Amino acid sequence: MSQDLWTAVDDYIEELLVAPDAALDAAREASAAAGLPEIAVTPSQGKLLYLLARMVRARRILEIGTLGGYSTIWLGRALPPRGRLVTLEADAKHFDVARENIARAGLSKRVDQRLGLALETLPLVAAEGAGPFDFVFIDADKESSVEYFEWALRLSRPGAAIVVDNVIRDGEVADPETEDERVQGIRRLNEALARESRVSATTIQTVGSKGYDGFTLILVGA
Ligand code: SAH
Ligand code: DHB
Ligand code: MG
């Protein structure tokens, strides 16, 4: 079992099941050309986010961690005509690259980008009454995962879905002695989820072109 095989299978799945989309392809290319880290969700993961958002009939979506807007475009595509997506990003360069990518996808009117540390912009989003959200994608600094989850829960309606990316990290999440602060952040999230009676959650390990990782899926309302 190897990375080459996982990548070949992702290529096979994407060829058949993920329709080409010029704006999504352009977003990946422009993000790479601008020197952004190549850590966006894969095409098949992007389509999973799109399908999950459609399954909960999301009209309001919150994303924490925009990067170049690749996952933003997938989620924006899941919205009905009057739907809205708020996406939070701390890095001004990422924010600017995402703005171009989102515009090219024709989503500028539906997507509300906020520049700043998410723990500073989330209170503003809450104060404006931008929620309640039907779907939240948490994909920023993993150290703050518990805080992001708590905000997501506070800003979500019953029946909302919350997805957290990068929760396995090559299996390191199961190591109680881990010194990686990002993994420690995910372990604190898991402990919070275990205690939280207002949600029901599970975590799925994944392999693919981005290696061995996984995501947590949380349903708001036990
Ligand atoms: N969701 C994107 C990938 C996000 S990568 C996709 O799949 O296409 C993580 C992003 O979170 C990076 O752009 C990083 O700059 C941003 N980030 C890191 N710390 C942050 C913080 N405290 N607040 C907001 N954004 C943050
Ligand atoms: C990293 C961040 C991500 O959101 C991701 O999907 C993969 C890697 C990282 O910071 O290494
Ligand atoms: Mg991620």
Side-chain angles (χ1 to χ4, degrees):
M1 300 302 237
S2 68
Q3 180 59 62
D4 287 349
L5 180 58
W6 302 339
T7 300
V9 173
D10 250 349
D11 290 347
Y12 164 76
I13 293 165
E14 286 159 13
E15 172 86 27
L16 285 172
L17 297 182
V18 185
D21 179 307
L24 283 167
D25 294 345
R28 283 196 103 80
E29 283 158 26
S31 298
L36 269 51
E38 297 192 26
I39 56 176
V41 294
T42 65
S44 55
Q45 291 168 342
K47 186 154 182 188
L48 175 65
L49 293 173
Y50 162 88
L51 292 172
L52 290 169
R54 285 191 54 194
M55 284 174 183
V56 298
R57 294 184 163 69
R59 297 176 67 248
R60 293 180 180 150
I61 297 175
L62 174 64
E63 177 178 65
I64 307 177
T66 316
L67 189 64
Y70 183 78
S71 55
T72 317
I73 295 170
W74 269 112
L75 289 167
R77 294 265 193 262
L79 286 169
R82 295 229 293 282
R84 287 287 174 272
L85 187 159
V86 178
T87 184
L88 312 181
E89 174 56 55
D91 184 303
K93 180 174 170 186
H94 299 180
F95 179 92
D96 288 340
V97 171
R99 187 175 50 211
E100 299 284 315
N101 288 336
I102 290 162
R104 201 184 292 106
L107 289 169
S108 301
K109 281 171 70 179
R110 277 187 239 171
V111 174
D112 178 2
Q113 289 182 255
R114 301 296 174 90
L115 178 63
L117 295 170
L119 289 178
E120 293 177 6
T121 51
L122 280 162
L124 305 177
V125 169
E128 286 165 16
F133 294 98
D134 313 296
F135 189 93
V136 183
F137 182 43
I138 298 176
D139 193 21
D141 51 316
K142 314 304 168 188
E143 294 85 342
S144 300
S145 297
V146 174
E147 288 85 354
Y148 296 151
F149 164 67
E150 285 167 354
W151 275 108
L153 182 55
R154 178 170 159 198
L155 294 173
S156 294
R157 66 154 168 91
I162 302 171
V163 174
V164 188
D165 196 24
N166 312 116
V167 297
I168 300 294
R169 307 317 306 249
D170 290 309
E172 203 174 331
V173 72
D175 176 5
E177 309 299 325
T178 182
E179 300 207 333
D180 185 329
E181 286 174 12
R182 296 172 302 178
V183 179
Q184 290 171 0
I186 296 298
R187 289 178 60 86
R188 285 196 300 276
L189 170 64
N190 290 332
E191 285 147 25
L193 289 171
R195 287 192 301 269
E196 179 53 71
S197 59
R198 292 172 293 172
V199 303
S200 186
T202 193
T203 293
I204 295 297
Q205 307 181 65
T206 59
V207 294
S209 57
K210 275 181 77 181
Y212 170 34
D213 212 327
F215 63 91
T216 294
L217 178 61
I218 303 160
L219 176 65
V220 176

